[in-house]
C-alpha cells in the first residue's frame, strides 16, 4: 500500500512535536524523574504507539497492521537491550543523575536520525538489488551468534572516537551543569557531557546496523519500517528510569533476542530464495521454498519475549545477580559526590541499598557468592554505611 505524502508529513510533524514536548517540558530543567513520572509517561508513549497501530489496522488493513506491531515489538525489545549499553556508558562517564535525561534524549534523537538514514538506504538497495535480502539475513544470523557470546569486561565508552577527541581537543574531567563547553583558564574546553553524547551517538550507529535489517525482515513497507522504529524509540528515556536496576534481572534477554534475530534472518533468506535472481543459485531462477507469514512472525516474536522475560523474572540466579549488581551500583553512586546534588535522591539510593542488602542475606549462599568481586562490593557497601552514619551525625 502506498502512503500519501500528506500522511507522511503529518506523521513526521507528530514525531517531531513529541520530541520537542519531551525537551521543553521534561528535559530543559535538569531534575531526577520520580518513579511515578517515569511510569506515567512510559505508559503514555506505549499507548500512543498502540493507538497508531490500531489506526494502521483500520485504514491500512490487517496485513499492514500486523507488520507494524511485529516491527514495533521487535524494535522495542532491541531498544531495551540497547539500554544496557547506555547504562554502562552513562555510568563510565559518571553523568550526574539530574543530567542523564538530556543524554538519553540526545541518544534517542541521534538514533532516530541514523536509523532513518539506514531505512531509506536499505529501501533503495532492496528495490535495486534482490540479493540484499541474503545480506540482511546473514547480518542478523551473525548478530544472533554474537549475542550468545560471553560479555567482555571493559569500559564500553572508551572507544576510538573518545580517545581521539581527548587527544585533539582541550577537555575537562568535570561537568559544568549540562553544558557541552566550559571555560578553563580562559580557554574553551569540551566537557564530559559532550563526550558522553559522542559515545552514545557512536553506539547508536552500530545499533542501527542490527535493527534495520531486522525490521526489513518483517516488512518492506518503508512507512511501517519508519513508524515502528520511531515509536519504539519514543518513551525510551522514561523507560530507562522506570526499569533502572531491573535491566540486570533480564538475564535471558540476550538469548531471546538471539532467537528472534536468527528467526528473522532465516525468514529473510527464505524470502531471498523465493525472489532469487543470482545466477549461481538455481541458475538465477526463484527457488520454491516455504515463506514465513507476518502472522507467524508476530506469534514467534511475542512468544519468545514472553518466555524470556518470565524465565528471567523467575530465575533465582537472576534475582541474586540483580540484587548484587544494584547494591554495588547504589553503593558506588552514594560514595560518588558528583553523582547528584539532590539530597532526596541520595536518601533514595541509600534506602534502596539497605533493601538490596536485606534481599541478598535472604538468598542461598550458592547464588550470592557467584558474583564477581564480592569482597570489593562488601567494602563499598560498608563504606556507604559509614559515610551515611557520618552524614546523620552532623
Amino acid at each position: 500500500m502506498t502512503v500519501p505524502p500528506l500522511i507522511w508529513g503529518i506523521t513526521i510533524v507528530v514525531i517531531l512535536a513529541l520530541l520537542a514536548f519531551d525537551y521543553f517540558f521534561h528535559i530543559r530543567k535538569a531534575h531526577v524523574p520520580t518513579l511515578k513520572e517515569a511510569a506515567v509517561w512510559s505508559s503514555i508513549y506505549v499507548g500512543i504507539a498502540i493507538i497508531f497501530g490500531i489506526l494502521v489496522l483500520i485504514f491500512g488493513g490487517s496485513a499492514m497492521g500486523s507488520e507494524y506491531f511485529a516491527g514495533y515489538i521487535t524494535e522495542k525489545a532491541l531498544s531495551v537491550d540497547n539500554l544496557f549499553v547506555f547504562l554502562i556508558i552513562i555510568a563510565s562517564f559518571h553523568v550526574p543523575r539530574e543530567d542523564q535525561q538530556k543524554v538519553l534524549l540526545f541518544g534517542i534523537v541521534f538514533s532516530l536520525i541514523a536509523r532513518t538514514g539506514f531505512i531509506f538506504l536499505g529501501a533503495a538497495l532492496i528495490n535495486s538489488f534482490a540479493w540484499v535480502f541474503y545480506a540482511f539475513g546473514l547480518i542478523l544470523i551473525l548478530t544472533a551468534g554474537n549475542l550468545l557470546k560471553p560479555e567482555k569486561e571493559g569500559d564500553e565508552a572508551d572507544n576510538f572516537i573518545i580517545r581521539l577527541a581527548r587527544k585533539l581537543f582541550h577537555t575537562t574531567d568535570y561537568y559544568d551543569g549540562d553544558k557541552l563547553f566550559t571555560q578553563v583558564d580562559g580557554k574553551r574546553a569540551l566537557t564530559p557531557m559532550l563526550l558522553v553524547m559522542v559515545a552514545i551517538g557512536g553506539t547508536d550507529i552500530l545499533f542501527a546496523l542490527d535493527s534495520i535489517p531486522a525490521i526489513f525482515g518483517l516488512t518492506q513497507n518503508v512507512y511501517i519500517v519508519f513508524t515502528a522504529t520511531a515509536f519504539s524509540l519514543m518513551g525510551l528515556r522514561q523507560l530507562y528510569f522506570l526499569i533502572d536496576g531491573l535491566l540486570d534481572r533480564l538475564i535471558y534477554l540476550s538469548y531471546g533476542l538471539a532467537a528472534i534475530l536468527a528467526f528473522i534472518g532465516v525468514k529473510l533468506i527464505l524470502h531471498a530464495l523465493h525472489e532469487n535472481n543470482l545466477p549461481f543459485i538455481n541458475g538465477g531462477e526463484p527457488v520454491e521454498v516455504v515463506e514465513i507469514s507476518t502472522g507467524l512472525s508476530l506469534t514467534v516474536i511475542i512468544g519468545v519475549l514472553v518466555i524470556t522475560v518470565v524465565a528471567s523474572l523467575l530465575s533465582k540466579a537472576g534475582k541474586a545477580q540483580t540484587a548484587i549488581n544494584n547494591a554495588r551500583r547504589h553503593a558506588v553512586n552514594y560514595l560518588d559526590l558528583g553523582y547528584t546534588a539532590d539530597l532526596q535522591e541520595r536518601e533514595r539510593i541509600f534506602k534502596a541499598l539497605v533493601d538490596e542488602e536485606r534481599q541478598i542475606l535472604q538468598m542461598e549462599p550458592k547464588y550470592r557468592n557467584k558474583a564477581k568481586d564480592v569482597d570489593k562490593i562488601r567494602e563499598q557497601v560498608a563504606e556507604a554505611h559509614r559515610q551515611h552514619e557520618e552524614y546523620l551525625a552532623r
Side-chain angles (χ1 to χ4, degrees):
M1 177 182 174
T2 303
V3 178
L6 178 62
I7 301 299
W8 267 102
I10 292 172
T11 304
I12 292 171
V13 168
V14 169
I15 290 170
L16 292 176
L18 288 172
L19 291 171
F21 177 84
D22 223 11
Y23 177 77
F24 288 105
F25 290 92
H26 292 120
I27 309 298
R28 202 171 186 181
K29 183 180 179 182
H31 71 285
V32 180
T34 63
L35 189 63
K36 180 181 178 181
E37 178 187 340
V40 168
W41 284 103
S42 291
S43 301
I44 288 173
Y45 279 111
V46 171
I48 291 172
I50 292 173
I51 291 171
F52 179 83
I54 293 172
L55 292 174
V56 172
L57 272 170
I58 294 171
F59 296 104
S62 59
M64 197 171 176
S66 298
E67 290 176 355
Y68 167 79
F69 280 111
Y72 172 75
I73 293 170
T74 301
E75 290 297 309
K76 197 70 173 179
L78 289 169
S79 296
V80 170
D81 188 53
N82 295 351
L83 287 181
F84 282 96
V85 180
F86 286 173
L87 182 65
I88 293 170
I89 293 174
I90 287 172
S92 66
F93 276 96
H94 303 288
V95 180
R97 187 71 167 175
E98 295 89 336
D99 298 320
Q100 289 180 7
Q101 292 196 91
K102 180 169 283 189
V103 173
L104 289 167
L105 183 61
F106 169 82
I108 291 167
V109 172
F110 190 88
S111 181
L112 184 56
I113 293 170
R115 294 184 191 200
T116 300
F118 280 114
I119 286 169
F120 286 104
L121 176 61
L125 289 173
I126 286 170
N127 290 331
S128 302
F129 309 103
W131 56 261
V132 169
F133 288 111
Y134 287 112
F136 280 3
L138 289 173
I139 287 172
L140 293 182
I141 292 172
L142 290 173
T143 302
N146 287 331
L147 284 173
L148 298 177
K149 291 181 180 179
E151 293 183 3
K152 295 180 180 179
E153 297 292 324
D155 184 358
E156 293 285 343
D158 187 23
N159 58 38
F160 170 75
I161 297 175
I162 297 300
R163 293 196 298 270
L164 185 64
R166 283 179 169 150
K167 184 177 291 187
L168 296 179
F169 302 101
H170 184 36
T171 63
T172 68
D173 294 325
Y174 59 87
Y175 290 87
D176 185 5
D178 59 1
K179 295 179 181 177
L180 303 181
F181 300 91
T182 188
Q183 293 288 327
V184 179
D185 298 329
K187 295 181 180 179
R188 201 181 195 199
L190 307 180
T191 70
M193 180 62 71
L194 181 59
L195 295 179
V196 70
M197 287 184 175
V198 170
I200 292 283
T203 56
D204 278 333
I205 294 174
L206 296 177
F207 292 153
L209 291 174
D210 295 338
S211 68
I212 297 308
I215 194 168
F216 268 118
L218 299 169
T219 176
Q220 282 83 60
N221 186 315
V222 178
Y223 181 76
I224 295 299
V225 172
F226 173 75
T227 52
T229 301
F231 282 113
S232 72
L233 294 171
M234 296 287 107
L236 197 61
R237 175 184 63 80
Q238 293 87 347
L239 188 64
Y240 173 90
F241 290 96
L242 180 62
I243 64 176
D244 181 22
L246 294 178
L247 286 171
D248 294 320
R249 184 74 170 269
L250 302 177
I251 60 174
Y252 300 126
L253 180 61
S254 60
Y255 296 101
L257 288 175
I260 290 171
L261 293 179
F263 171 78
I264 298 174
V266 171
K267 182 177 186 292
L268 272 169
I269 290 177
L270 289 174
H271 181 71
L273 289 169
H274 190 267
E275 302 288 330
N276 178 65
N277 58 9
L278 294 179
F280 52 86
I281 298 178
N282 198 36
E285 295 297 322
V287 181
E288 291 297 326
V289 292
V290 176
E291 286 214 78
I292 300 171
S293 67
T294 303
L296 178 58
S297 300
L298 183 57
T299 303
V300 170
I301 291 165
I302 293 175
V304 170
L305 287 177
V306 169
I307 293 170
T308 298
V309 171
V310 171
S312 296
L313 294 178
L314 294 179
S315 167
K316 290 184 178 180
K319 291 177 182 177
Q321 181 175 313
T322 302
I324 292 168
N325 287 347
N326 287 345
R328 170 169 43 197
R329 182 164 64 249
H330 285 132
V332 169
N333 289 341
Y334 188 86
L335 296 172
D336 181 8
L337 296 177
Y339 175 70
T340 179
D342 189 331
L343 294 179
Q344 289 185 339
E345 173 66 8
R346 300 196 74 81
E347 286 290 342
R348 185 195 70 80
I349 292 171
F350 187 79
K351 183 179 181 301
L353 175 60
V354 173
D355 290 341
E356 285 145 9
E357 285 181 275
R358 193 180 301 115
Q359 291 176 36
I360 293 169
L361 290 174
Q362 293 173 350
M363 294 172 184
E364 296 176 41
K366 66 177 180 179
Y367 292 119
R368 68 180 187 230
N369 291 333
K370 278 185 178 180
K372 297 178 182 178
D373 302 324
V374 174
D375 293 333
K376 183 178 180 181
I377 295 171
R378 287 171 179 158
E379 289 175 7
Q380 292 169 329
V381 170
E383 179 62 19
H385 276 278
R386 188 188 69 77
Q387 289 194 16
H388 190 68
E389 289 173 3
E390 285 184 359
Y391 168 73
L392 294 177
R394 291 177 189 173

